[in-house]
Amino acid sequence: MARRSSPSVDPAVLEEVRSIYDALTQRPSQRRCEARTTCCRFQLTGELPLVTRAEALYAAVGVRASGRKAVKPHPDGACPLLGKDGRCTIYAHRPFGCRTHFCTAAGGMYPRREVADLIQRLDALDEKIQGQGSRDLPDAIAVVLDGK
Ligand code: SF4
């Protein structure tokens, strides 16, 4: 079966996601993420970031910018976007969960109260584009890359 072509994405949706991520960088929490990638190794943490459709569309921009049209499961069960060099292949486009769920060594997860308004903006955007709530990261990105 032929792969579907990329859906056209309203630039305003991508801009709102970027704006939310930019706002997050202004928050006071100090973290020391040094690309440890512990949080990217789902097989170790047992946790997957949850991603809204708008965020998945934004992440897909990063995937396509890296020259890929699809992502394959990681052989170790880690995030499919973790590169062979052990670094995130879409770092500038990584989802909100990846920007707020730090490992203990990096200072721990952001307190929800510090980012609740940004989560509300993501939820409002999801509602606006008739997303269906958050999905786990691999599924959310696979769906949009598949043109659905
Ligand atoms: S998208 Fe990047 S930062 Fe987020 S879990 Fe995957 S590899 Fe890690």
Side-chain angles (χ1 to χ4, degrees):
M1 182 190 293
R3 182 168 289 280
R4 297 182 191 192
S5 59
S6 302
S8 63
V9 180
D10 182 349
V13 171
L14 300 179
E15 178 55 31
E16 172 64 355
V17 174
R18 194 185 63 77
S19 169
I20 293 167
Y21 293 169
D22 283 351
L24 180 63
T25 67
Q26 306 303 316
R27 296 300 153 100
S29 288
Q30 297 294 313
R31 294 294 183 269
R32 300 176 308 280
C33 177
E34 294 166 2
R36 293 176 170 87
T37 69
T38 303
C39 60
C40 311
R41 300 183 188 279
F42 306 152
Q43 78 279 25
L44 298 180
T45 65
E47 296 183 73
L48 284 74
L50 294 176
V51 176
T52 62
R53 179 172 175 77
E55 287 190 278
L57 290 166
Y58 192 77
V61 172
V63 173
R64 294 191 186 100
S66 70
R68 292 169 292 174
K69 294 181 179 170
V71 290
K72 297 178 187 165
H74 193 284
D76 296 334
C79 177
L81 299 168
L82 189 62
K84 289 180 181 157
D85 62 356
R87 303 186 76 85
C88 176
T89 57
I90 62 157
Y91 195 75
H93 292 83
R94 69 198 188 286
F96 191 84
C98 306
R99 297 165 188 260
T100 55
H101 191 113
F102 293 92
C103 62
T104 303
M109 191 186 309
Y110 271 28
R112 187 178 173 90
R113 66 179 178 280
E114 288 185 14
V115 294
D117 59 319
L118 301 180
I119 294 171
Q120 285 171 1
R121 283 175 66 183
L122 286 171
D123 287 345
L125 184 58
D126 190 56
E127 199 170 314
K128 184 177 176 183
I129 67 171
Q130 299 180 317
Q132 297 182 329
S134 299
R135 312 170 71 130
D136 67 53
L137 185 153
D139 282 352
I141 293 177
V143 164
V144 300
L145 287 174
D146 204 28
K148 295 177 184 168

